[in-house]
Amino acid sequence: MSKHHNGDPASRYTRRDFIKASMAAGLLASPAPAWLSSVAMAAEEPSREVLTGSHWGVFRASVTNGRAVAIKAWEKDPRPSAQLPGVLDSIYSPTRIRYPMVRRAYLEQGPGADPAGRGEGDFVRIGWDQALDLVARELQRVRQAHGPSGIYAGSYGWRSPGKLHNCLTLLHRFMNLTGGYVGYSGDYSAGAALVILPYVVGSIEVYEQCTAWPVVAEHTQLMVFWGCDPMNNSQIGHVVPDHGAYPGIEGLKARGIKTLCIDPAKTQTCEYLGAEWIAPRPQTDVAMMLGIAHTLYAEKLHDQAFLDRYTTGFDKFLPYLLGQQDGTPKTAEWAAGICGIPADTLRDLARRFSRQRTMLALGYSTQRQHHGEQVHWMLITLASMLGQIGLPGGGYGLSYHYASGGSPTADSPSVPSIGDAADRLPADAWKGKQAMRSIPVSRISEMLLNPGKTYDFNGTKGIYPDIKLIYWAGGNPFSHQQDRNELVRAWRKPETIIVQDFQWTASARHADIVLPATTSYERNDIEQVGDFGLNHILAMHKVVEPVFEARSDFDIFSALAQRLGQGDAFTEQKSEMDWLRAFYEAARIGARAKGLEMPIFDSFWNSAQPLAFPLGKGKDFVSRQDFRADPLLNALGTPSGRIEIYSATIEKMGYDDCPPHPTWMEPFERLDGPTAKYPLHVDTVHPRYRLHSQLCGTVLREKYAIAGREPCLMHPEDAARRGLKDGDVVRVFNDRGQMLAGLAITDAIRPGVVRINEGGWYDPVDPRTPGSLCRYGDVNTLTSGISTSRLAQANCGHSVLAQVEKFEGPIPAVQVFESPRTH
Ligand code: PGD
């Protein structure tokens, strides 16, 4: 299926078809299942409009005869996401998992059967009771034999928002109550920055508020978007987004503020603002920043008073900058040779940054690279030399591109969520176990392939556990994990793999037991609006009854907990609505403490609008203003209380791949670099028309797929050199893997760089053979599983070289958007 999906089979799928299909499956002959009665009742319903929300914003769904037929963005959304049509389609998409399923070999032969057959798609439908019994029994078996270190239930992923139906927390809650599991630390977004920044500025900072957009519009003279594309990425939020970045950026445009984008590709933000565009070689930002820093120092443009008062360690960094240690001064000429931007331009940037109020906005992709820790450290060092940190509109911001960082924070209470019950894990659950309770999140393949191996992480040593069972809910490792073929091999190690999702992702296809979850639109929940703005509380109403036999994660884990004797502990004997009421009441008490009165729960729940909170002082927020005003009273959380340009703590760790001050180190491969085997860098950025892999299985593909595959953007010179034309099906390959893509020729990208979005669904021609061609276009077939360094052990999804050629021979049909073979 590819373009044919345009016909939207889901929208033609009537209730009559649904019942016909059910009869064919013999379902109507058995006692009426719960879903059927709900569909039948829904048929009598008049049309209605339901207020709810998702990762894509607040919206209203129109429901006719029990079916969501249209959705429209909330009237107050300043910039509705272009992805909303996919949200509607995701409810009825042909990729929905309809029933509990078990891989045939597993059902017939038990745990560990034919692990190389995972991904082949030979599934058997079973009933819910049988599925739950199977899962509960298997968990008990593995726990008894191997303890908690035999189960990996980290289950990283972007799931869906909601304070109750957070499937990740629910999975952890269930696991903690029934005996423990191996989890993870860090994340895929900002894994390197999360570990290094506490040593540099005393907090993780990447998920903290930046100077508010209105302050930037008023005071900033030069706004630099460095690997940072808020116009693209602010469409989505981890909670329900407020899309506050858009009015912020419009404010810059309206005031005619000078903007500059430093990025190998011309971003949406760059296009929209008509910004100046500088396109360095990918993965060379540290060298480029060093070249600018050297000019600042050489031309006495740096702010020594700021460095003296607010930072420590500049004196130890300076000999490196000047080349007194290694004989290589990090001049603009030196940097130009690496980053490919002329030395004069770098010198000019140093002068422009220092003579006007400059905000350096850095994105996460720059640290999703080999030695990624250095990028954020070096940017903060550069900003420290400029001396504008803590001034309105100056300094740096690390979340302008993410979930509308900079959207002014409202005066609102926090809304609690269901907990993971970690405090109720039996005290002796891990007694005698050598392995770690959690691994650095991106090390999953390494862990599965190397049980018992010792590894370094952030100054400690860990031991990988021997995993026998994996349980995943709310994430898609067959999309997010780098080096797909390494994962394919690693995934064969466990005896049992359980995936709980609402769609047939590649991860679900590679499971033994598949449990169908509901989407957010088939359950009630409550959530805040605006990850940073926190300006509303939203009643997320159930839009439609669960489709087919889907059950909410809360129901599934309650039923499993019941089977393992922890049912009441899991639910605390509260229903869905009891939980939501309790969260709301706690928020009401919090609001009162702030002098705000919230309506009673029923009024809130029945209102047709999200509950709004006042803006207060949030619109005047200046990052690090307090620290600048009084660095003793408002000291940072670092050992010195200041910004650490040199870290004695990191020095003590003695890692050769993470020295104690920001340092340029060659990545294991980079464009035109000393070890480059392939001629093109692959930019694996986040897509415009989906959230990671979410919505890839929907009609949205119509907006971007080329020849039914993921697009590969390429510069005209690179295409001409290869005799390629627009719309060609190309093979993109390196030593790690290969995939097909549809070619899009554009001059909005630096020559030598191609762009393929992450999140395309993995669709191997032969799932039994690692290295097999991916027919649709999962870019992680090409990336490496190497980690950033021994400090953070984070992923390097943006360190990748490859070659592109025209695909010759019969083009295999994409199959991943159809249900797998089922019986
Ligand atoms: P999603 O596609 O969001 O990707 O990786 P992540 O695994 O988070 O997957 C979420 C899954 O949860 C989907 O399959 C969805 O259907 C399911 N789900 C949603 N709601 C529910 C629910 O209520 N219940 C259940 N049971 N399931 C649900 C994203 C990761 O990819 C991230 S965060 C980043 S930043 C990385 N980015 C890159 C990158 O830039 N470049 C490369 N090469 N690789 C990356 N990988 C990383």
Side-chain angles (χ1 to χ4, degrees):
M1 165 116 26
S2 55
K3 289 277 177 191
H4 304 298
H5 192 58
N6 195 16
D8 185 6
S11 62
R12 295 196 308 269
Y13 194 76
T14 62
R15 183 175 166 266
R16 182 190 296 243
D17 296 335
F18 182 77
I19 292 181
K20 250 170 43 191
S22 307
M23 289 183 83
L27 283 173
L28 294 188
S30 56
W35 58 261
L36 185 56
S37 55
S38 60
V39 168
M41 271 164 50
E44 312 302 324
E45 260 190 358
S47 293
R48 61 199 170 90
E49 201 169 72
V50 185
L51 176 73
T52 188
S54 69
H55 282 312
W56 296 272
V58 180
F59 63 86
R60 297 182 194 280
S62 302
V63 181
T64 304
N65 291 337
R67 185 182 170 84
V69 291
I71 61 178
K72 61 173 189 239
W74 179 40
E75 327 64 80
K76 293 188 182 157
D77 187 332
R79 176 58 152 63
S81 167
Q83 299 178 16
L84 270 182
V87 173
L88 176 64
D89 193 46
S90 68
I91 305 176
Y92 304 111
S93 156
T95 61
R96 274 302 291 254
I97 303 168
R98 301 172 181 196
Y99 314 106
M101 292 284 181
V102 184
R103 193 166 61 90
R104 175 182 295 284
Y106 186 94
L107 191 64
E108 290 171 357
Q109 297 158 45
D114 186 23
R118 290 186 180 128
E120 276 194 323
D122 188 6
F123 283 97
V124 179
R125 177 182 167 186
I126 59 171
W128 264 113
D129 279 343
Q130 194 187 349
L132 294 168
D133 288 346
L134 190 62
V135 171
R137 252 198 335 265
E138 183 55 5
L139 279 167
Q140 259 173 331
R141 181 188 75 83
V142 172
R143 276 232 178 84
Q144 269 161 18
H146 308 282
S149 57
I151 298 175
Y152 184 70
S155 184
Y156 175 84
W158 257 66
R159 56 175 181 85
S160 295
K163 297 295 184 202
L164 173 63
H165 294 285
N166 175 341
C167 55
L168 208 64
T169 310
L170 292 171
L171 170 61
H172 296 166
R173 179 181 178 87
F174 162 67
M175 287 289 171
N176 279 326
L177 287 170
T178 55
Y181 66 100
V182 177
Y184 68 80
S185 66
D187 66 28
Y188 280 75
S189 299
L194 285 175
V195 177
I196 192 127
L197 286 175
Y199 299 114
V200 179
V201 287
S203 71
I204 59 170
E205 190 149 1
V206 276
Y207 297 131
E208 290 160 21
Q209 182 60 294
C210 310
T211 296
W213 284 109
V215 179
V216 174
E218 194 178 334
H219 297 278
T220 304
Q221 292 167 303
L222 176 63
M223 180 80 185
V224 182
F225 293 100
W226 203 315
C228 176
D229 189 6
M231 291 296 284
N232 184 45
N233 294 319
S234 308
Q235 291 190 76
I236 54 94
H238 206 242
V239 298
V240 176
D242 61 356
H243 296 143
Y246 296 97
I249 296 169
E250 282 154 18
L252 298 191
K253 190 168 181 164
R255 286 192 172 234
I257 307 241
K258 178 78 188 150
T259 48
L260 162 65
C261 293
I262 302 176
D263 199 301
K266 197 167 196 177
T267 60
Q268 286 180 54
T269 307
C270 191
E271 293 276 4
Y272 171 78
L273 289 167
E276 182 184 346
W277 177 35
I278 292 179
R281 285 194 186 102
Q283 301 195 82
T284 62
D285 303 287
V286 171
M288 186 169 167
M289 290 174 196
L290 281 165
I292 297 170
H294 189 278
T295 307
L296 288 177
Y297 190 79
E299 299 188 5
K300 299 198 172 29
L301 298 171
H302 66 293
D303 187 338
Q304 190 63 49
F306 184 92
L307 291 168
D308 290 344
R309 183 150 195 236
Y310 300 101
T311 74
T312 120
F314 185 70
D315 55 331
K316 292 190 167 148
F317 167 72
L318 193 55
Y320 168 74
L321 184 68
L322 301 180
Q324 291 163 351
Q325 277 170 346
D326 56 5
T328 306
K330 312 300 173 300
T331 60
E333 277 76 15
W334 167 84
I338 295 170
C339 70
I341 301 300
D344 280 346
T345 307
L346 301 182
R347 275 190 285 267
D348 182 49
L349 288 178
R351 293 169 199 144
R352 287 162 68 193
F353 288 1
S354 61
R355 74 165 175 252
Q356 55 191 333
R357 189 62 59 86
T358 301
M359 176 63 80
L360 302 173
L362 183 65
Y364 302 157
S365 67
T366 56
Q367 53 85 67
R368 243 177 263 135
Q369 305 178 355
H370 199 202
H371 308 134
E373 293 86 352
Q374 306 303 313
V375 187
H376 280 61
W377 202 356
M378 187 56 219
L379 183 100
I380 292 171
T381 301
L382 183 59
S384 299
M385 290 176 76
L386 292 168
Q388 300 181 19
I389 295 170
L391 292 178
Y396 67 92
L398 305 181
S399 54
Y400 280 114
H401 62 293
Y402 171 69
S404 289
S407 175
T409 307
D411 209 3
S412 62
S414 62
V415 183
S417 54
I418 194 160
D420 66 5
D423 54 333
R424 283 190 271 165
L425 178 68
D428 58 353
W430 278 83
K431 211 167 143 209
K433 305 283 170 223
Q434 247 198 328
M436 299 296 281
R437 286 183 189 202
S438 73
I439 58 160
V441 68
S442 77
R443 298 299 89 210
I444 170 131
S445 300
E446 192 175 312
M447 166 187 75
L448 294 174
L449 290 168
N450 300 285
K453 180 181 159 184
T454 302
Y455 62 93
D456 287 302
F457 174 52
N458 199 9
T460 62
K461 289 208 183 286
I463 297 173
Y464 287 128
D466 191 359
I467 297 298
K468 305 292 181 193
L469 182 149
I470 291 180
Y471 200 133
W472 222 290
N476 190 3
F478 271 75
S479 169
H480 67 229
Q481 176 64 20
Q482 286 64 45
D483 198 339
R484 182 67 57 249
N485 292 305
E486 184 188 35
L487 181 67
V488 167
R489 285 191 298 273
W491 204 250
R492 293 178 179 179
K493 292 281 181 170
E495 293 163 359
T496 298
I497 296 177
I498 304 159
V499 169
Q500 191 165 303
D501 205 307
F502 58 82
Q503 46 179 351
W504 279 110
T505 61
S507 303
R509 285 161 194 270
H510 282 78
D512 297 314
I513 304 172
V514 179
L515 302 180
T518 52
T519 63
S520 312
Y521 325 114
E522 296 151 57
R523 58 203 188 205
N524 294 302
D525 216 322
I526 185 171
E527 189 50 280
Q528 284 174 287
V529 179
D531 291 68
F532 296 92
L534 300 170
N535 38 41
H536 292 81
I537 299 178
L538 174 70
M540 291 173 66
H541 293 275
K542 184 198 274 190
V543 176
V544 290
E545 292 302 322
V547 301
F548 296 100
E549 288 192 14
R551 289 175 69 169
S552 78
D553 300 285
F554 182 79
D555 282 353
I556 297 171
F557 290 124
S558 304
L560 284 171
Q562 189 73 39
R563 278 166 169 75
L564 297 178
Q566 295 294 330
D568 285 353
F570 185 85
T571 61
E572 295 180 23
Q573 296 181 303
K574 292 199 203 94
S575 69
E576 179 185 69
M577 290 310 287
D578 292 341
W579 280 102
L580 304 190
R581 200 177 277 273
F583 298 153
Y584 183 85
E585 288 307 333
R588 252 180 102 194
I589 292 167
R592 230 170 262 155
K594 289 172 169 274
L596 300 165
E597 202 51 54
M598 283 165 55
I600 57 163
F601 178 78
D602 292 327
S603 308
F604 158 74
W605 190 256
N606 296 323
S607 161
Q609 290 289 344
L611 181 63
F613 290 88
L615 248 192
K617 291 193 184 134
K619 64 180 188 332
D620 304 322
F621 178 74
V622 174
S623 171
R624 303 264 178 247
Q625 194 170 36
D626 293 352
F627 171 62
R628 188 174 185 110
D630 191 334
L632 286 180
L633 206 59
N634 304 310
L636 304 182
T638 54
S640 63
R642 301 182 187 184
I643 296 170
E644 299 216 345
I645 295 174
Y646 188 96
S647 166
T649 319
I650 292 180
E651 183 187 18
K652 282 196 201 103
M653 295 178 196
Y655 296 149
D656 55 359
D657 51 5
C658 190
H661 59 68
T663 304
W664 161 253
M665 284 169 285
E666 278 291 348
F668 75 97
E669 65 183 29
R670 74 164 168 89
L671 185 62
D672 305 327
T675 58
K677 179 171 173 194
Y678 289 95
L680 297 169
H681 173 91
V682 188
D683 198 15
T684 70
V685 290
H686 293 172
R688 183 174 192 160
Y689 288 114
R690 58 172 187 258
L691 165 55
H692 302 306
S693 74
Q694 296 193 46
L695 305 185
C696 188
T698 73
V699 287
L700 285 176
R701 281 199 317 288
E702 283 306 308
K703 292 185 185 283
Y704 59 84
I706 297 178
R709 345 236 134 207
E710 276 296 293
C712 170
L713 273 54
M714 180 180 262
H715 192 273
E717 286 169 20
D718 292 317
R721 205 166 292 137
R722 290 168 177 76
L724 298 173
K725 55 180 195 323
D726 238 3
D728 275 351
V729 173
V730 293
R731 189 174 79 100
V732 192
F733 64 96
N734 60 19
D735 294 350
R736 294 180 287 269
Q738 50 172 336
M739 55 166 273
L740 295 184
L743 196 74
I745 299 177
T746 170
D747 57 9
I749 195 156
R750 184 190 161 96
V753 181
V754 296
R755 175 174 271 211
I756 304 172
N757 290 321
E758 54 96 31
W761 283 13
Y762 175 58
D763 189 15
V765 170
D766 174 12
R768 281 193 180 269
T769 308
S772 175
L773 180 73
C774 172
R775 293 174 280 220
Y776 176 67
D778 166 16
V779 78
N780 278 325
T781 51
L782 306 171
T783 53
S784 162
I786 194 173
S787 73
T788 52
S789 81
R790 287 189 285 162
L791 183 87
Q793 293 279 9
N795 78 83
C796 298
H798 291 246
S799 295
V800 47
L801 296 184
Q803 177 60 291
V804 175
E805 66 180 16
K806 189 165 164 56
F807 184 70
E808 304 291 354
I811 300 173
V814 172
Q815 291 181 11
V816 72
F817 302 115
E818 293 155 13
S819 285
R821 197 152 40 104
T822 54
H823 301 272

